[in-house]
Amino acid sequence: MTTPKGPSHPPVPEARLKLGWVLAELRADGLISRAQFDHLVYAAQRPGAEEIHPLVVISEQGWTSPASPPVKLDLEQLTRWLADKVGLPYLRIDPLKIDVGAVTEVVSLAYASRFHFLPVGVRDGRLTVATAEPFVIRWIDELARILRMEVDRVVTNPLDVARYRDEFYRLSRSITGATRSGAAAPLTTIGNFEQLVELGKGGEPDANDQHVVRVVDWLLKYAFEQRASDIHLEPRRDAGRIRLRIDGVLHLVHELPPPVLAAVTSRLKAIGRMDVVERRRPQDGRVKTKSPDGKEIELRLSTMPTTFGEKLVARIFDPEVLVRGFARLGFSDHDRRLWDSMVSQPHGLILVTGPTGSGKTTTLYSALKQLARPEYNVCTIEDPIEMVDPALNQMQVQHNIGLDFAAGVRTLLRQDPDIIMVGEIRDLETAETTIQAALTGHLVLSTLHTNDAPSALTRLLDLGVPPYLINAALLGVVAQRLVRTLCPHCKRPAPIDPNEWHALVTPLKARCPETGFGPVGCDECRRTGFRGRSGLYEILTMSDGLRRLVTASTDLPALRAEALREGMRPLRMSGALKVKAGFTTPQEVFAVVSADEPVEPPASE
């Protein structure tokens, strides 16, 4: 065991931190003024002053150090100071990187609570514990002897130690309780697919068991806090996996015994008003709940049968996304002018294209939110309804009764609409009825699955839409992607490779910036260097030149070349502008935009 470096005025050994001592040390280090010291030093003598950790008390004052440059004395900054003071590493707990099952098995909750620490890692015969009481050390040798492990300590802020200690052990108890409440027979004894889908009629915990309910509550709360966009529950032979998609990347969060994962899936299906017994066919459901800070959140549930059981994905929709405005979605001033010019038209068709997960739904709902004024009747036909909004009249596709997109559009046309949103154009019938709606005095928004904006024209032609209908109805096409953005707290200047820059801007020309920004990694971004995502947009507005090219024998390269000549910014150019502005990196842009060389526009005559 390594003895920590002693502070200039060490407290009594084995004592918890005292407010008076911390204030004295901060004063000695020049981090607080005499007035600040006097303000709190008398509070340390009041009854009950020791019940709150001194770092928490000081952080609540909202002080800034008198030193230059000034430092805000928040809880994390004070914890870093304490770690440096006692010579121990600092750690900000990231639950994504902690094996909750492993750490809660080696030390009991009672023992960890008694000595004010939290186990955070077990590896290669070493136990790592996080504490905010670095001078409470009597337990270290005892624990090392009992576990036959070396014990390493790190300093973590006291609120996180208390919070995650409660969450980790409560989760562990719930999983253990759920396992015991069901017949935890190993899945290796199951021999075929039919037995797998029948799993649970006596072999899994009850979905309403209090332990299962607690696991689900923890999972939802944790997903909201981590800014996840999707929750994946994935059954496997030996252990079920829980993964979260954060900023477009999947992270493994936890592994559960297969019967417990099946019970958690059943619990989510139950609150999503789905058929809990049916596991042989895919189902869709919806849950409206609240985040820890009280915001309303909607979850869209989807299940599918797999080899080892039922897989469930919950897509998380935050209604606040719809009120952020187009600038926060990633629209540049140029993009916004083009978009506004299209949606200000009294009638016509606007298409939003891109792969699944590229942000099309968010763009459409943001547009509808902008357009839904009291004097307009805004109607939608969707499959499924992604987000329920009281300003819209929303209709759900129901194939079992013959209500598909085409039938839905025909119904909407009898509802005196001003603006119509069609969830997706998938076939000729839907395309024709959508275009007819646009030609009869309605502004229509819809989506297509194409890689770029010009490809939407050829896709409509491939579906069988006559060229004259496309030319008469289409106002423009928006292709989009979502790219990870650099963490504003830790990004640092970095050189831009001229070759990568050239590949981004070709076939257009733009001078390569001398420097851009690159990822570093900090506590705010979970050491990834990225936080959040932003949209890349390619906006094609229909012109007389493009309409002349839309024929039965339309050539896609010629369409793209004409669009570029008329000023369309390719997706990669949109990415280049964000690289130049320091929002992302060339590598992130190439990760979401096709690396195929764009066609050079013909030289002007």
Side-chain angles (χ1 to χ4, degrees):
M1 180 190 72
T2 302
T3 302
K5 298 177 183 177
S8 53
H9 307 289
V12 178
E14 295 299 321
R16 298 183 63 183
L17 287 178
K18 302 293 191 295
L19 181 59
W21 178 86
V22 175
L23 288 170
E25 292 299 312
L26 288 170
R27 177 79 179 104
D29 290 346
L31 292 175
I32 62 173
S33 65
R34 181 69 193 185
Q36 290 170 331
F37 175 85
D38 292 340
H39 177 73
L40 275 185
V41 71
Y42 296 107
Q45 302 169 7
R46 297 173 184 168
E50 296 182 358
E51 294 180 4
I52 304 177
H53 196 281
L55 295 188
V56 176
V57 175
I58 298 170
S59 68
E60 290 175 345
Q61 307 306 309
W63 288 344
T64 300
S65 70
S68 182
V71 177
K72 184 173 176 60
L73 298 179
D74 58 20
L75 189 55
E76 291 302 326
Q77 187 62 41
L78 289 168
T79 307
R80 290 178 186 273
W81 166 83
L82 177 63
D84 183 64
K85 198 74 177 173
V86 300
L88 291 175
Y90 162 83
L91 174 71
R92 184 168 182 177
I93 296 176
D94 181 358
L96 286 174
K97 299 178 180 177
I98 295 177
D99 186 341
V100 175
V103 299
T104 54
E105 282 182 1
V106 293
V107 181
S108 70
L109 173 60
Y111 195 90
S113 299
R114 177 185 174 189
F115 294 110
H116 316 289
F117 69 81
L118 170 68
V120 292
V122 182
R123 186 175 182 181
D124 300 330
R126 305 188 74 89
L127 171 67
T128 302
V129 300
T131 182
E133 297 289 352
F135 296 105
V136 179
I137 59 176
R138 177 167 51 87
W139 56 271
I140 299 177
D141 290 335
E142 178 184 58
L143 189 62
R145 184 176 64 256
I146 293 172
L147 298 179
R148 297 182 181 179
M149 291 182 178
E150 291 293 322
V151 177
D152 300 320
R153 292 183 301 151
V154 294
V155 175
T156 298
N157 88 60
L159 295 184
D160 279 357
V161 172
R163 171 196 168 185
Y164 287 115
R165 184 169 59 221
D166 178 62
E167 287 190 7
F168 288 177
Y169 282 94
R170 185 163 53 182
L171 173 65
S172 181
R173 285 198 304 268
S174 296
I175 293 172
T176 301
T179 303
R180 289 173 179 170
S181 68
L187 282 181
T188 51
T189 62
I190 298 173
N192 57 53
F193 181 78
E194 288 301 320
Q195 288 176 288
L196 283 168
V197 296
E198 292 298 320
L199 173 70
K201 291 185 175 178
E204 76 178 43
D206 183 355
N208 295 315
D209 183 273
Q210 61 175 340
H211 301 296
V212 176
V213 172
R214 287 185 190 137
V215 174
V216 172
D217 289 344
W218 166 83
L219 174 60
L220 296 180
K221 176 184 174 184
Y222 183 61
F224 299 154
E225 290 177 345
Q226 294 296 317
R227 302 176 293 106
S229 61
D230 301 88
I231 304 170
H232 289 245
L233 305 183
E234 302 172 326
R236 295 293 186 268
R237 181 180 296 277
D238 299 316
R241 300 191 305 181
I242 298 177
R243 295 198 292 171
L244 299 182
R245 187 176 295 279
I246 304 171
D247 295 337
V249 179
L250 280 171
H251 299 266
L252 179 64
V253 173
H254 204 70
E255 290 190 341
L256 299 176
V260 177
L261 185 78
V264 169
T265 300
S266 295
R267 172 65 183 171
L268 284 169
K269 288 172 64 179
I271 62 179
R273 298 181 178 86
M274 301 160 72
D275 186 345
V276 177
V277 177
E278 178 58 72
R279 303 185 181 200
R280 294 169 296 181
R281 61 179 177 85
Q283 294 187 67
D284 293 311
R286 183 181 303 277
V287 175
K288 179 171 281 191
T289 183
K290 288 189 176 181
S291 64
D293 57 3
K295 294 190 305 183
E296 278 200 351
I297 300 288
E298 286 196 16
L299 306 178
R300 196 187 79 195
L301 309 180
S302 175
T303 66
M304 62 173 281
T306 69
T307 306
F308 297 108
E310 192 171 33
K311 181 182 186 298
L312 183 143
V313 174
R315 176 157 289 185
I316 302 171
F317 293 102
D318 183 356
E320 283 202 357
V321 171
L322 305 182
V323 295
R324 288 178 182 172
F326 284 89
R328 292 189 63 184
L329 294 180
F331 275 70
S332 66
D333 292 339
H334 172 79
D335 296 334
R336 184 60 190 273
R337 285 193 298 271
L338 293 175
W339 176 262
D340 287 344
S341 70
M342 291 190 294
V343 297
S344 63
Q345 299 299 314
H347 56 83
L349 173 63
I350 301 171
L351 295 175
V352 180
T353 76
T356 301
S358 61
K360 300 188 299 297
T361 298
T362 300
T363 299
L364 283 175
Y365 274 99
S366 297
L368 293 176
K369 196 78 172 179
Q370 172 198 14
L371 296 169
R373 297 194 292 271
E375 62 268 28
Y376 288 154
N377 176 20
V378 182
C379 301
T380 75
I381 173 71
E382 306 172 60
D383 184 23
I385 296 173
E386 304 276 11
M387 286 178 269
V388 177
D389 191 289
L392 311 176
N393 298 298
Q394 298 169 276
M395 180 165 53
Q396 166 79 47
V397 166
Q398 299 184 61
H399 295 286
N400 58 324
I401 60 172
L403 179 57
D404 54 16
F405 279 116
V409 173
R410 287 192 290 268
T411 299
L412 292 181
L413 289 176
R414 296 190 289 271
Q415 290 289 314
D416 186 29
D418 296 290
I419 299 167
I420 297 173
M421 193 270 275
V422 181
E424 184 182 348
I425 295 177
R426 301 173 179 171
D427 51 49
L428 176 59
E429 185 181 12
T430 303
E432 287 184 334
T433 52
T434 300
I435 289 176
Q436 289 298 333
L439 290 174
T440 53
H442 307 93
L443 183 64
V444 183
L445 295 87
S446 188
T447 69
L448 270 178
H449 285 285
T450 63
N451 289 327
D452 59 12
S455 297
L457 302 176
T458 56
R459 172 64 176 153
L460 291 175
L461 291 169
D462 290 342
L463 288 175
V465 179
Y468 71 89
L469 287 181
I470 298 174
N471 288 330
L474 189 62
L475 296 174
V477 184
V478 179
Q480 68 177 84
R481 299 290 190 279
L482 289 177
V483 63
R484 291 198 299 173
T485 52
L486 291 165
C487 174
H489 302 280
C490 65
K491 66 180 182 181
R492 293 290 183 271
I496 296 177
D497 186 334
N499 293 326
E500 290 181 338
W501 178 261
H502 177 72
L504 280 178
V505 302
T506 301
L508 307 179
K509 297 185 183 299
R511 183 178 179 182
C512 179
E514 293 184 4
T515 59
F517 284 84
V520 176
C522 67
D523 296 327
E524 295 294 330
C525 60
R526 301 182 303 279
R527 300 291 169 185
T528 63
F530 297 90
R531 184 179 175 87
R533 289 189 292 174
S534 182
L536 305 182
Y537 300 94
E538 176 181 276
I539 302 181
L540 178 151
T541 55
M542 291 298 289
S543 64
D544 291 339
L546 285 168
R547 289 188 176 94
R548 284 194 295 268
L549 293 175
V550 178
T551 64
S553 58
T554 292
D555 179 55
L556 178 58
L559 276 174
R560 186 181 290 115
E562 177 63 23
L564 291 171
R565 184 163 36 240
E566 294 185 4
M568 182 187 76
R569 289 180 177 174
L571 283 165
R572 273 188 281 174
M573 175 55 82
S574 177
L577 294 176
K578 283 187 168 50
V579 170
K580 183 178 181 180
F583 290 128
T584 190
T585 66
Q587 294 78 17
E588 289 300 310
V589 177
F590 286 126
V592 298
V593 179
S594 172
D596 296 336
E597 282 297 321
V599 176
E600 295 282 351
S604 301
E605 294 181 1

